[in-house]
Amino acid sequence: KAACTQCHNTSRITEQHMTRQQWSDELEKMEGLGAVIPDADRNTFLNYLTRNFGPEKGAAPRTAGKQSGSAAN
């Protein structure tokens, strides 16, 4: 968290919902911009980000059925 929140507020991170590969790409991008992410911590970062802010955490669960015609009534 500290590596990210030096430049970003927490909502900048928590509002993202990306795959492990996308998070990895994002970490690489941030390193290119000056973030320091020790190699020994990289896997831990990716595990944390993917588990807590992965794609399945971002979408509200859909209920089967009523999707078409709901606005027509």
Side-chain angles (χ1 to χ4, degrees):
K1 180 179 171 181
C4 302
T5 57
Q6 288 178 359
C7 298
H8 303 292
N9 62 38
T10 55
S11 66
R12 173 75 178 218
I13 301 153
T14 61
E15 291 174 357
Q16 303 296 315
H17 300 284
M18 298 187 279
T19 65
R20 185 178 181 86
Q21 183 59 54
Q22 289 170 319
W23 279 118
S24 181
D25 293 344
E26 194 69 15
L27 291 180
E28 286 181 26
K29 181 173 112 181
M30 293 300 108
E31 286 175 312
L33 295 171
V36 177
I37 302 167
D39 288 339
D41 295 337
R42 186 176 185 79
N43 200 45
T44 302
F45 273 59
L46 288 172
N47 289 340
Y48 174 80
L49 291 167
T50 304
R51 181 177 56 250
N52 293 289
F53 310 109
E56 67 282 351
K57 299 289 185 174
R62 283 189 169 188
T63 55
K66 297 186 179 182
Q67 217 175 14
S68 63
S70 61
N73 294 343

